[in-house]
Amino acid sequence: MLDLLDDSDLLDEPLTSLELELTTVDAGDAGSADWLWVNVVFADGTRLYEPTNRLIGRPPGRGDSQRYELGVPEGVTRQLGDVDEVFVRKSGDNGWFVGSVLLFANGHARPLLGNRHANQFLDDDDDVLDLREWSTSSFCVAPTSGAQHPLPRSGYRVLGPVIGQVSDT
């Protein structure tokens, strides 16, 4: 079980810094040389980075972890508890097997959001249903927009591969 930051006093802190830790699974063909983009979504649906997602670089190598300083734009007046979701989008057609995604805030040792067992293969390929993004809200859509553009809000949530029909009712 992932021990997330849940102390109410800490969640009331002003948001001053963010760091994203990504891990690539240690498996064949897990690494990628494609670009990664990220955004943070607040509980009211607004995004930290507008009008486009933030380019953070390339994923870590096979079996490796890497931290990315995200930065908080000047003028943002949010609290840690306002952060509701983080998503990562991959551009290009060189697949990446993301192992874990952890979002840290204000230098705290425990993550604010994330999943140590994301274990999702992301690629712009029909074999993986054009799944190029991962989110802490676990919604999977295959939008046709570029990776730098924010994900559209989804009316449904998919937790993994689905065989058969998906309905929003």
mmCIF file with all atom_site columns, all heavy atoms in Angstrom, residues 95-118:
data_model
loop_
_atom_site.group_PDB
_atom_site.id
_atom_site.type_symbol
_atom_site.label_atom_id
_atom_site.label_alt_id
_atom_site.label_comp_id
_atom_site.label_asym_id
_atom_site.label_entity_id
_atom_site.label_seq_id
_atom_site.pdbx_PDB_ins_code
_atom_site.Cartn_x
_atom_site.Cartn_y
_atom_site.Cartn_z
_atom_site.occupancy
_atom_site.B_iso_or_equiv
_atom_site.pdbx_formal_charge
_atom_site.auth_seq_id
_atom_site.auth_comp_id
_atom_site.auth_asym_id
_atom_site.auth_atom_id
_atom_site.pdbx_PDB_model_num
ATOM 1   N N   . GLY A 1 95  ? 7.338  2.811  -27.875 1.00 0.00 ? 95  GLY A N   1
ATOM 2   C CA  . GLY A 1 95  ? 6.627  2.469  -26.646 1.00 0.00 ? 95  GLY A CA  1
ATOM 3   C C   . GLY A 1 95  ? 7.442  2.623  -25.378 1.00 0.00 ? 95  GLY A C   1
ATOM 4   O O   . GLY A 1 95  ? 8.671  2.534  -25.384 1.00 0.00 ? 95  GLY A O   1
ATOM 5   N N   . TRP A 1 96  ? 6.740  2.852  -24.276 1.00 0.00 ? 96  TRP A N   1
ATOM 6   C CA  . TRP A 1 96  ? 7.363  3.002  -22.957 1.00 0.00 ? 96  TRP A CA  1
ATOM 7   C C   . TRP A 1 96  ? 6.527  2.242  -21.938 1.00 0.00 ? 96  TRP A C   1
ATOM 8   O O   . TRP A 1 96  ? 5.306  2.383  -21.898 1.00 0.00 ? 96  TRP A O   1
ATOM 9   C CB  . TRP A 1 96  ? 7.457  4.473  -22.591 1.00 0.00 ? 96  TRP A CB  1
ATOM 10  C CG  . TRP A 1 96  ? 7.960  4.733  -21.201 1.00 0.00 ? 96  TRP A CG  1
ATOM 11  C CD1 . TRP A 1 96  ? 9.057  4.185  -20.607 1.00 0.00 ? 96  TRP A CD1 1
ATOM 12  C CD2 . TRP A 1 96  ? 7.388  5.617  -20.237 1.00 0.00 ? 96  TRP A CD2 1
ATOM 13  N NE1 . TRP A 1 96  ? 9.199  4.668  -19.332 1.00 0.00 ? 96  TRP A NE1 1
ATOM 14  C CE2 . TRP A 1 96  ? 8.182  5.566  -19.081 1.00 0.00 ? 96  TRP A CE2 1
ATOM 15  C CE3 . TRP A 1 96  ? 6.280  6.458  -20.243 1.00 0.00 ? 96  TRP A CE3 1
ATOM 16  C CZ2 . TRP A 1 96  ? 7.904  6.312  -17.946 1.00 0.00 ? 96  TRP A CZ2 1
ATOM 17  C CZ3 . TRP A 1 96  ? 6.015  7.204  -19.116 1.00 0.00 ? 96  TRP A CZ3 1
ATOM 18  C CH2 . TRP A 1 96  ? 6.825  7.127  -17.984 1.00 0.00 ? 96  TRP A CH2 1
ATOM 19  N N   . PHE A 1 97  ? 7.180  1.443  -21.103 1.00 0.00 ? 97  PHE A N   1
ATOM 20  C CA  . PHE A 1 97  ? 6.511  0.660  -20.068 1.00 0.00 ? 97  PHE A CA  1
ATOM 21  C C   . PHE A 1 97  ? 6.737  1.355  -18.728 1.00 0.00 ? 97  PHE A C   1
ATOM 22  O O   . PHE A 1 97  ? 7.744  1.148  -18.063 1.00 0.00 ? 97  PHE A O   1
ATOM 23  C CB  . PHE A 1 97  ? 7.080  -0.759 -20.049 1.00 0.00 ? 97  PHE A CB  1
ATOM 24  C CG  . PHE A 1 97  ? 6.230  -1.783 -19.355 1.00 0.00 ? 97  PHE A CG  1
ATOM 25  C CD1 . PHE A 1 97  ? 6.587  -3.118 -19.413 1.00 0.00 ? 97  PHE A CD1 1
ATOM 26  C CD2 . PHE A 1 97  ? 5.081  -1.453 -18.654 1.00 0.00 ? 97  PHE A CD2 1
ATOM 27  C CE1 . PHE A 1 97  ? 5.836  -4.097 -18.790 1.00 0.00 ? 97  PHE A CE1 1
ATOM 28  C CE2 . PHE A 1 97  ? 4.314  -2.417 -18.019 1.00 0.00 ? 97  PHE A CE2 1
ATOM 29  C CZ  . PHE A 1 97  ? 4.694  -3.734 -18.093 1.00 0.00 ? 97  PHE A CZ  1
ATOM 30  N N   . VAL A 1 98  ? 5.786  2.213  -18.350 1.00 0.00 ? 98  VAL A N   1
ATOM 31  C CA  . VAL A 1 98  ? 5.890  2.971  -17.107 1.00 0.00 ? 98  VAL A CA  1
ATOM 32  C C   . VAL A 1 98  ? 5.610  2.045  -15.923 1.00 0.00 ? 98  VAL A C   1
ATOM 33  O O   . VAL A 1 98  ? 4.631  1.308  -15.919 1.00 0.00 ? 98  VAL A O   1
ATOM 34  C CB  . VAL A 1 98  ? 4.946  4.197  -17.102 1.00 0.00 ? 98  VAL A CB  1
ATOM 35  C CG1 . VAL A 1 98  ? 3.500  3.820  -17.306 1.00 0.00 ? 98  VAL A CG1 1
ATOM 36  C CG2 . VAL A 1 98  ? 5.088  4.991  -15.822 1.00 0.00 ? 98  VAL A CG2 1
ATOM 37  N N   . GLY A 1 99  ? 6.508  2.063  -14.953 1.00 0.00 ? 99  GLY A N   1
ATOM 38  C CA  . GLY A 1 99  ? 6.354  1.211  -13.776 1.00 0.00 ? 99  GLY A CA  1
ATOM 39  C C   . GLY A 1 99  ? 5.680  1.932  -12.626 1.00 0.00 ? 99  GLY A C   1
ATOM 40  O O   . GLY A 1 99  ? 4.748  1.425  -12.026 1.00 0.00 ? 99  GLY A O   1
ATOM 41  N N   . SER A 1 100 ? 6.150  3.144  -12.299 1.00 0.00 ? 100 SER A N   1
ATOM 42  C CA  . SER A 1 100 ? 5.528  3.912  -11.224 1.00 0.00 ? 100 SER A CA  1
ATOM 43  C C   . SER A 1 100 ? 5.547  5.393  -11.558 1.00 0.00 ? 100 SER A C   1
ATOM 44  O O   . SER A 1 100 ? 6.409  5.875  -12.295 1.00 0.00 ? 100 SER A O   1
ATOM 45  C CB  . SER A 1 100 ? 6.213  3.651  -9.879  1.00 0.00 ? 100 SER A CB  1
ATOM 46  O OG  . SER A 1 100 ? 7.463  4.281  -9.813  1.00 0.00 ? 100 SER A OG  1
ATOM 47  N N   . VAL A 1 101 ? 4.561  6.090  -10.975 1.00 0.00 ? 101 VAL A N   1
ATOM 48  C CA  . VAL A 1 101 ? 4.411  7.531  -11.137 1.00 0.00 ? 101 VAL A CA  1
ATOM 49  C C   . VAL A 1 101 ? 4.093  8.093  -9.755  1.00 0.00 ? 101 VAL A C   1
ATOM 50  O O   . VAL A 1 101 ? 3.077  7.729  -9.162  1.00 0.00 ? 101 VAL A O   1
ATOM 51  C CB  . VAL A 1 101 ? 3.260  7.885  -12.109 1.00 0.00 ? 101 VAL A CB  1
ATOM 52  C CG1 . VAL A 1 101 ? 3.104  9.388  -12.239 1.00 0.00 ? 101 VAL A CG1 1
ATOM 53  C CG2 . VAL A 1 101 ? 3.469  7.238  -13.461 1.00 0.00 ? 101 VAL A CG2 1
ATOM 54  N N   . LEU A 1 102 ? 4.980  8.937  -9.233  1.00 0.00 ? 102 LEU A N   1
ATOM 55  C CA  . LEU A 1 102 ? 4.777  9.522  -7.902  1.00 0.00 ? 102 LEU A CA  1
ATOM 56  C C   . LEU A 1 102 ? 4.962  11.030 -7.984  1.00 0.00 ? 102 LEU A C   1
ATOM 57  O O   . LEU A 1 102 ? 5.958  11.513 -8.533  1.00 0.00 ? 102 LEU A O   1
ATOM 58  C CB  . LEU A 1 102 ? 5.770  8.942  -6.898  1.00 0.00 ? 102 LEU A CB  1
ATOM 59  C CG  . LEU A 1 102 ? 5.739  7.426  -6.704  1.00 0.00 ? 102 LEU A CG  1
ATOM 60  C CD1 . LEU A 1 102 ? 6.882  6.986  -5.810  1.00 0.00 ? 102 LEU A CD1 1
ATOM 61  C CD2 . LEU A 1 102 ? 4.405  6.977  -6.145  1.00 0.00 ? 102 LEU A CD2 1
ATOM 62  N N   . LEU A 1 103 ? 4.010  11.775 -7.430  1.00 0.00 ? 103 LEU A N   1
ATOM 63  C CA  . LEU A 1 103 ? 4.075  13.237 -7.406  1.00 0.00 ? 103 LEU A CA  1
ATOM 64  C C   . LEU A 1 103 ? 4.363  13.689 -5.977  1.00 0.00 ? 103 LEU A C   1
ATOM 65  O O   . LEU A 1 103 ? 3.598  13.401 -5.056  1.00 0.00 ? 103 LEU A O   1
ATOM 66  C CB  . LEU A 1 103 ? 2.756  13.847 -7.886  1.00 0.00 ? 103 LEU A CB  1
ATOM 67  C CG  . LEU A 1 103 ? 2.705  15.369 -7.946  1.00 0.00 ? 103 LEU A CG  1
ATOM 68  C CD1 . LEU A 1 103 ? 3.648  15.900 -9.033  1.00 0.00 ? 103 LEU A CD1 1
ATOM 69  C CD2 . LEU A 1 103 ? 1.287  15.849 -8.184  1.00 0.00 ? 103 LEU A CD2 1
ATOM 70  N N   . PHE A 1 104 ? 5.477  14.388 -5.806  1.00 0.00 ? 104 PHE A N   1
ATOM 71  C CA  . PHE A 1 104 ? 5.880  14.914 -4.505  1.00 0.00 ? 104 PHE A CA  1
ATOM 72  C C   . PHE A 1 104 ? 5.677  16.421 -4.493  1.00 0.00 ? 104 PHE A C   1
ATOM 73  O O   . PHE A 1 104 ? 5.822  17.078 -5.524  1.00 0.00 ? 104 PHE A O   1
ATOM 74  C CB  . PHE A 1 104 ? 7.357  14.595 -4.237  1.00 0.00 ? 104 PHE A CB  1
ATOM 75  C CG  . PHE A 1 104 ? 7.638  13.130 -4.096  1.00 0.00 ? 104 PHE A CG  1
ATOM 76  C CD1 . PHE A 1 104 ? 7.903  12.343 -5.210  1.00 0.00 ? 104 PHE A CD1 1
ATOM 77  C CD2 . PHE A 1 104 ? 7.627  12.529 -2.845  1.00 0.00 ? 104 PHE A CD2 1
ATOM 78  C CE1 . PHE A 1 104 ? 8.160  10.990 -5.091  1.00 0.00 ? 104 PHE A CE1 1
ATOM 79  C CE2 . PHE A 1 104 ? 7.888  11.164 -2.704  1.00 0.00 ? 104 PHE A CE2 1
ATOM 80  C CZ  . PHE A 1 104 ? 8.150  10.399 -3.825  1.00 0.00 ? 104 PHE A CZ  1
ATOM 81  N N   . ALA A 1 105 ? 5.336  16.964 -3.322  1.00 0.00 ? 105 ALA A N   1
ATOM 82  C CA  . ALA A 1 105 ? 5.083  18.397 -3.216  1.00 0.00 ? 105 ALA A CA  1
ATOM 83  C C   . ALA A 1 105 ? 5.836  18.991 -2.029  1.00 0.00 ? 105 ALA A C   1
ATOM 84  O O   . ALA A 1 105 ? 5.963  18.344 -0.972  1.00 0.00 ? 105 ALA A O   1
ATOM 85  C CB  . ALA A 1 105 ? 3.587  18.656 -3.054  1.00 0.00 ? 105 ALA A CB  1
ATOM 86  N N   . ASN A 1 106 ? 6.304  20.212 -2.217  1.00 0.00 ? 106 ASN A N   1
ATOM 87  C CA  . ASN A 1 106 ? 6.921  21.011 -1.152  1.00 0.00 ? 106 ASN A CA  1
ATOM 88  C C   . ASN A 1 106 ? 8.047  20.294 -0.414  1.00 0.00 ? 106 ASN A C   1
ATOM 89  O O   . ASN A 1 106 ? 8.270  20.535 0.775   1.00 0.00 ? 106 ASN A O   1
ATOM 90  C CB  . ASN A 1 106 ? 5.860  21.479 -0.148  1.00 0.00 ? 106 ASN A CB  1
ATOM 91  C CG  . ASN A 1 106 ? 4.878  22.462 -0.754  1.00 0.00 ? 106 ASN A CG  1
ATOM 92  O OD1 . ASN A 1 106 ? 4.940  22.769 -1.936  1.00 0.00 ? 106 ASN A OD1 1
ATOM 93  N ND2 . ASN A 1 106 ? 3.962  22.958 0.047   1.00 0.00 ? 106 ASN A ND2 1
ATOM 94  N N   . GLY A 1 107 ? 8.735  19.382 -1.069  1.00 0.00 ? 107 GLY A N   1
ATOM 95  C CA  . GLY A 1 107 ? 9.873  18.709 -0.461  1.00 0.00 ? 107 GLY A CA  1
ATOM 96  C C   . GLY A 1 107 ? 9.531  17.616 0.535   1.00 0.00 ? 107 GLY A C   1
ATOM 97  O O   . GLY A 1 107 ? 10.422 17.087 1.207   1.00 0.00 ? 107 GLY A O   1
ATOM 98  N N   . HIS A 1 108 ? 8.265  17.242 0.653   1.00 0.00 ? 108 HIS A N   1
ATOM 99  C CA  . HIS A 1 108 ? 7.870  16.179 1.587   1.00 0.00 ? 108 HIS A CA  1
ATOM 100 C C   . HIS A 1 108 ? 8.367  14.824 1.090   1.00 0.00 ? 108 HIS A C   1
ATOM 101 O O   . HIS A 1 108 ? 8.428  14.580 -0.120  1.00 0.00 ? 108 HIS A O   1
ATOM 102 C CB  . HIS A 1 108 ? 6.352  16.151 1.775   1.00 0.00 ? 108 HIS A CB  1
ATOM 103 C CG  . HIS A 1 108 ? 5.826  17.359 2.482   1.00 0.00 ? 108 HIS A CG  1
ATOM 104 N ND1 . HIS A 1 108 ? 6.093  17.610 3.809   1.00 0.00 ? 108 HIS A ND1 1
ATOM 105 C CD2 . HIS A 1 108 ? 5.077  18.391 2.052   1.00 0.00 ? 108 HIS A CD2 1
ATOM 106 C CE1 . HIS A 1 108 ? 5.518  18.744 4.169   1.00 0.00 ? 108 HIS A CE1 1
ATOM 107 N NE2 . HIS A 1 108 ? 4.889  19.243 3.112   1.00 0.00 ? 108 HIS A NE2 1
ATOM 108 N N   . ALA A 1 109 ? 8.705  13.944 2.016   1.00 0.00 ? 109 ALA A N   1
ATOM 109 C CA  . ALA A 1 109 ? 9.243  12.625 1.672   1.00 0.00 ? 109 ALA A CA  1
ATOM 110 C C   . ALA A 1 109 ? 8.169  11.672 1.154   1.00 0.00 ? 109 ALA A C   1
ATOM 111 O O   . ALA A 1 109 ? 8.461  10.774 0.368   1.00 0.00 ? 109 ALA A O   1
ATOM 112 C CB  . ALA A 1 109 ? 9.934  12.002 2.892   1.00 0.00 ? 109 ALA A CB  1
ATOM 113 N N   . ARG A 1 110 ? 6.932  11.865 1.577   1.00 0.00 ? 110 ARG A N   1
ATOM 114 C CA  . ARG A 1 110 ? 5.835  11.012 1.088   1.00 0.00 ? 110 ARG A CA  1
ATOM 115 C C   . ARG A 1 110 ? 5.174  11.664 -0.118  1.00 0.00 ? 110 ARG A C   1
ATOM 116 O O   . ARG A 1 110 ? 4.999  12.885 -0.157  1.00 0.00 ? 110 ARG A O   1
ATOM 117 C CB  . ARG A 1 110 ? 4.798  10.787 2.190   1.00 0.00 ? 110 ARG A CB  1
ATOM 118 C CG  . ARG A 1 110 ? 5.296  9.883  3.285   1.00 0.00 ? 110 ARG A CG  1
ATOM 119 C CD  . ARG A 1 110 ? 4.199  9.502  4.246   1.00 0.00 ? 110 ARG A CD  1
ATOM 120 N NE  . ARG A 1 110 ? 3.635  10.695 4.869   1.00 0.00 ? 110 ARG A NE  1
ATOM 121 C CZ  . ARG A 1 110 ? 2.506  10.708 5.564   1.00 0.00 ? 110 ARG A CZ  1
ATOM 122 N NH1 . ARG A 1 110 ? 1.819  9.610  5.734   1.00 0.00 ? 110 ARG A NH1 1
ATOM 123 N NH2 . ARG A 1 110 ? 2.063  11.808 6.107   1.00 0.00 ? 110 ARG A NH2 1
ATOM 124 N N   . PRO A 1 111 ? 4.781  10.860 -1.104  1.00 0.00 ? 111 PRO A N   1
ATOM 125 C CA  . PRO A 1 111 ? 4.128  11.441 -2.286  1.00 0.00 ? 111 PRO A CA  1
ATOM 126 C C   . PRO A 1 111 ? 2.738  11.975 -1.982  1.00 0.00 ? 111 PRO A C   1
ATOM 127 O O   . PRO A 1 111 ? 2.044  11.470 -1.091  1.00 0.00 ? 111 PRO A O   1
ATOM 128 C CB  . PRO A 1 111 ? 4.066  10.271 -3.272  1.00 0.00 ? 111 PRO A CB  1
ATOM 129 C CG  . PRO A 1 111 ? 4.204  9.045  -2.452  1.00 0.00 ? 111 PRO A CG  1
ATOM 130 C CD  . PRO A 1 111 ? 4.948  9.409  -1.218  1.00 0.00 ? 111 PRO A CD  1
ATOM 131 N N   . LEU A 1 112 ? 2.340  12.975 -2.734  1.00 0.00 ? 112 LEU A N   1
ATOM 132 C CA  . LEU A 1 112 ? 1.005  13.551 -2.647  1.00 0.00 ? 112 LEU A CA  1
ATOM 133 C C   . LEU A 1 112 ? 0.013  12.689 -3.414  1.00 0.00 ? 112 LEU A C   1
ATOM 134 O O   . LEU A 1 112 ? -1.104 12.442 -2.966  1.00 0.00 ? 112 LEU A O   1
ATOM 135 C CB  . LEU A 1 112 ? 1.039  14.973 -3.214  1.00 0.00 ? 112 LEU A CB  1
ATOM 136 C CG  . LEU A 1 112 ? -0.238 15.788 -3.191  1.00 0.00 ? 112 LEU A CG  1
ATOM 137 C CD1 . LEU A 1 112 ? -0.737 15.992 -1.768  1.00 0.00 ? 112 LEU A CD1 1
ATOM 138 C CD2 . LEU A 1 112 ? 0.004  17.142 -3.868  1.00 0.00 ? 112 LEU A CD2 1
ATOM 139 N N   . LEU A 1 113 ? 0.422  12.220 -4.575  1.00 0.00 ? 113 LEU A N   1
ATOM 140 C CA  . LEU A 1 113 ? -0.389 11.352 -5.439  1.00 0.00 ? 113 LEU A CA  1
ATOM 141 C C   . LEU A 1 113 ? 0.530  10.346 -6.112  1.00 0.00 ? 113 LEU A C   1
ATOM 142 O O   . LEU A 1 113 ? 1.731  10.589 -6.240  1.00 0.00 ? 113 LEU A O   1
ATOM 143 C CB  . LEU A 1 113 ? -1.068 12.154 -6.555  1.00 0.00 ? 113 LEU A CB  1
ATOM 144 C CG  . LEU A 1 113 ? -2.162 13.128 -6.223  1.00 0.00 ? 113 LEU A CG  1
ATOM 145 C CD1 . LEU A 1 113 ? -2.558 13.898 -7.478  1.00 0.00 ? 113 LEU A CD1 1
ATOM 146 C CD2 . LEU A 1 113 ? -3.363 12.429 -5.648  1.00 0.00 ? 113 LEU A CD2 1
ATOM 147 N N   . GLY A 1 114 ? -0.041 9.274  -6.614  1.00 0.00 ? 114 GLY A N   1
ATOM 148 C CA  . GLY A 1 114 ? 0.743  8.374  -7.428  1.00 0.00 ? 114 GLY A CA  1
ATOM 149 C C   . GLY A 1 114 ? 0.372  6.920  -7.287  1.00 0.00 ? 114 GLY A C   1
ATOM 150 O O   . GLY A 1 114 ? -0.588 6.570  -6.606  1.00 0.00 ? 114 GLY A O   1
ATOM 151 N N   . ASN A 1 115 ? 1.178  6.106  -7.963  1.00 0.00 ? 115 ASN A N   1
ATOM 152 C CA  . ASN A 1 115 ? 0.967  4.667  -7.965  1.00 0.00 ? 115 ASN A CA  1
ATOM 153 C C   . ASN A 1 115 ? 2.316  4.002  -8.199  1.00 0.00 ? 115 ASN A C   1
ATOM 154 O O   . ASN A 1 115 ? 2.957  4.249  -9.227  1.00 0.00 ? 115 ASN A O   1
ATOM 155 C CB  . ASN A 1 115 ? -0.028 4.287  -9.060  1.00 0.00 ? 115 ASN A CB  1
ATOM 156 C CG  . ASN A 1 115 ? -0.436 2.845  -9.011  1.00 0.00 ? 115 ASN A CG  1
ATOM 157 O OD1 . ASN A 1 115 ? 0.319  1.983  -8.569  1.00 0.00 ? 115 ASN A OD1 1
ATOM 158 N ND2 . ASN A 1 115 ? -1.638 2.561  -9.475  1.00 0.00 ? 115 ASN A ND2 1
ATOM 159 N N   . ARG A 1 116 ? 2.752  3.181  -7.263  1.00 0.00 ? 116 ARG A N   1
ATOM 160 C CA  . ARG A 1 116 ? 4.024  2.465  -7.411  1.00 0.00 ? 116 ARG A CA  1
ATOM 161 C C   . ARG A 1 116 ? 3.906  1.296  -8.395  1.00 0.00 ? 116 ARG A C   1
ATOM 162 O O   . ARG A 1 116 ? 4.910  0.732  -8.795  1.00 0.00 ? 116 ARG A O   1
ATOM 163 C CB  . ARG A 1 116 ? 4.497  1.935  -6.066  1.00 0.00 ? 116 ARG A CB  1
ATOM 164 C CG  . ARG A 1 116 ? 4.977  2.986  -5.124  1.00 0.00 ? 116 ARG A CG  1
ATOM 165 C CD  . ARG A 1 116 ? 5.748  2.367  -3.961  1.00 0.00 ? 116 ARG A CD  1
ATOM 166 N NE  . ARG A 1 116 ? 5.906  3.294  -2.869  1.00 0.00 ? 116 ARG A NE  1
ATOM 167 C CZ  . ARG A 1 116 ? 6.787  4.286  -2.830  1.00 0.00 ? 116 ARG A CZ  1
ATOM 168 N NH1 . ARG A 1 116 ? 7.585  4.480  -3.846  1.00 0.00 ? 116 ARG A NH1 1
ATOM 169 N NH2 . ARG A 1 116 ? 6.872  5.087  -1.795  1.00 0.00 ? 116 ARG A NH2 1
ATOM 170 N N   . HIS A 1 117 ? 2.695  0.935  -8.745  1.00 0.00 ? 117 HIS A N   1
ATOM 171 C CA  . HIS A 1 117 ? 2.466  -0.212 -9.631  1.00 0.00 ? 117 HIS A CA  1
ATOM 172 C C   . HIS A 1 117 ? 1.591  0.194  -10.816 1.00 0.00 ? 117 HIS A C   1
ATOM 173 O O   . HIS A 1 117 ? 0.605  -0.473 -11.125 1.00 0.00 ? 117 HIS A O   1
ATOM 174 C CB  . HIS A 1 117 ? 1.815  -1.363 -8.855  1.00 0.00 ? 117 HIS A CB  1
ATOM 175 C CG  . HIS A 1 117 ? 2.591  -1.754 -7.639  1.00 0.00 ? 117 HIS A CG  1
ATOM 176 N ND1 . HIS A 1 117 ? 3.763  -2.463 -7.716  1.00 0.00 ? 117 HIS A ND1 1
ATOM 177 C CD2 . HIS A 1 117 ? 2.380  -1.509 -6.335  1.00 0.00 ? 117 HIS A CD2 1
ATOM 178 C CE1 . HIS A 1 117 ? 4.238  -2.639 -6.500  1.00 0.00 ? 117 HIS A CE1 1
ATOM 179 N NE2 . HIS A 1 117 ? 3.425  -2.069 -5.636  1.00 0.00 ? 117 HIS A NE2 1
ATOM 180 N N   . ALA A 1 118 ? 1.959  1.267  -11.490 1.00 0.00 ? 118 ALA A N   1
ATOM 181 C CA  . ALA A 1 118 ? 1.195  1.716  -12.657 1.00 0.00 ? 118 ALA A CA  1
ATOM 182 C C   . ALA A 1 118 ? 1.235  0.648  -13.740 1.00 0.00 ? 118 ALA A C   1
ATOM 183 O O   . ALA A 1 118 ? 0.210  0.284  -14.313 1.00 0.00 ? 118 ALA A O   1
ATOM 184 C CB  . ALA A 1 118 ? 1.755  3.034  -13.185 1.00 0.00 ? 118 ALA A CB  1
#
